[in-house]
Amino acid sequence: DTAVSQTPKYLVTQMGNDKSIKCEQNLGHDTMYWYKQDSKKFLKIMFSYNNKELIINETVPNRFSPKSPDKAHLNLHINSLELGDSAVYFCASSHGQGVAEEQYFGPGTRLTVT
Amino acid sequence: GENVEQHPSTLSVQEGDSAVIKCTYSDSASNYFPWYKQELGKRPQLIIDIRSNVGEKKDQRIAVTLNKTAKHFSLHITETQPEDSAVYFCAAPQGYKLSFGAGTTVTVRA
């Protein structure tokens, strides 16, 4: 299946722990994104990479660190997890670097911090 | 997002009726306006988009209109069906990123 995939789908962890979410796309796209969707459904961009290069870095705590080993993968590592980090995290990809293109979203990772 | 305002936040319609969602944006340089649909527990998916060189675009039961002068655009769903129940997001470019509206939860009553 050609798609954007994420692992894990669900992640339950305690405050203070460190966790990672992985994302892979086999669409041949050049740009990948991380979005956070909070309990009110608000979708907010966190990071974007184009061909492994960071191009968007929103006002996100330093505890969040993205890593793109190649243009098909974009991982998100979160240190010292806090209650407020609980949300659904979506990975997405698009063909080019510009914003005027369809973004293909992954299935999401529901992170619950207790 | 702060760049895109979306109304209403919730919308309940009778099956067969029309639904209209409106968005306004602030960046006059914006030239691309997509609409995403997110069903419960699923990922957002693009349903229609419009570029600034046209004023209206239709795809079967959905249509989007754009008023660049007033900086607003709208999604119109006609003959609503139960499968149209979802959260709908408008979006507009804000510099090099896409800024999403806060979403509209549409419920189609049978």
Side-chain angles (χ1 to χ4, degrees):
Chain A
D1 276 345
T2 53
V4 181
S5 58
Q6 291 178 232
T7 54
K9 191 167 174 63
Y10 299 96
L11 189 50
V12 181
T13 189
Q14 292 185 324
M15 280 173 50
N17 285 348
D18 303 338
K19 290 294 178 186
S20 292
I21 307 171
K22 296 189 175 184
C23 178
E24 176 181 2
Q25 55 93 5
N26 60 6
L27 298 165
H29 288 169
D30 291 330
T31 307
M32 296 184 73
Y33 312 82
W34 278 112
Y35 284 90
K36 179 180 180 180
Q37 186 171 47
D38 61 24
S39 57
K40 294 184 179 177
K41 299 293 184 184
F42 187 61
L43 264 174
K44 186 165 173 56
I45 183 77
M46 299 174 70
F47 303 103
S48 174
Y49 272 75
N50 177 262
N51 276 321
K52 301 193 297 176
E53 183 182 341
L54 181 66
I55 56 172
I56 295 176
N57 186 352
E58 287 295 283
T59 309
V60 177
N62 290 337
R63 300 181 294 103
F64 290 79
S65 53
K67 268 207 176 99
S68 182
D70 55 62
K71 75 171 195 176
H73 296 85
L74 180 61
N75 304 323
L76 183 65
H77 188 76
I78 316 170
N79 289 325
S80 304
L81 278 154
E82 300 178 357
L83 291 176
D85 297 333
S86 295
V88 179
Y89 292 84
F90 284 100
C91 176
S93 72
S94 65
H95 180 65
Q97 183 175 339
V99 292
E101 302 199 17
E102 179 175 0
Q103 293 188 15
Y104 293 78
F105 284 80
T109 296
R110 181 174 294 277
L111 172 65
T112 304
V113 183
T114 62
Chain B
E2 58 274 13
N3 184 51
V4 180
E5 291 195 6
Q6 183 171 346
H7 298 281
S9 57
T10 61
L11 183 57
S12 179
V13 295
Q14 189 69 36
E15 183 177 355
D17 288 350
S18 295
V20 180
I21 305 169
K22 298 182 179 180
C23 288
T24 59
Y25 61 97
S26 59
D27 187 351
S28 56
S30 295
N31 58 3
Y32 173 70
F33 307 92
W35 286 88
Y36 283 80
K37 175 183 179 182
Q38 185 179 23
E39 296 177 2
L40 188 62
K42 301 286 180 67
R43 71 192 78 192
Q45 290 186 291
L46 180 75
I47 54 170
I48 194 168
D49 57 18
I50 190 168
R51 297 181 190 270
S52 58
N53 57 344
V54 296
E56 184 176 0
K57 183 177 178 180
K58 290 181 78 170
D59 182 3
Q60 299 182 358
R61 295 187 298 106
I62 59 173
V64 57
T65 58
L66 171 65
N67 183 328
K68 281 220 75 177
T69 304
K71 288 195 270 189
H72 64 70
F73 56 111
S74 301
L75 178 73
H76 304 252
I77 309 172
T78 58
E79 300 172 30
T80 52
Q81 299 170 7
E83 54 264 36
D84 295 328
S85 294
V87 180
Y88 292 81
F89 294 94
C90 63
Q94 183 183 4
Y96 45 80
K97 67 177 182 181
L98 203 57
S99 188
F100 284 82
T104 297
T105 301
V106 174
T107 303
V108 180
R109 307 187 306 273

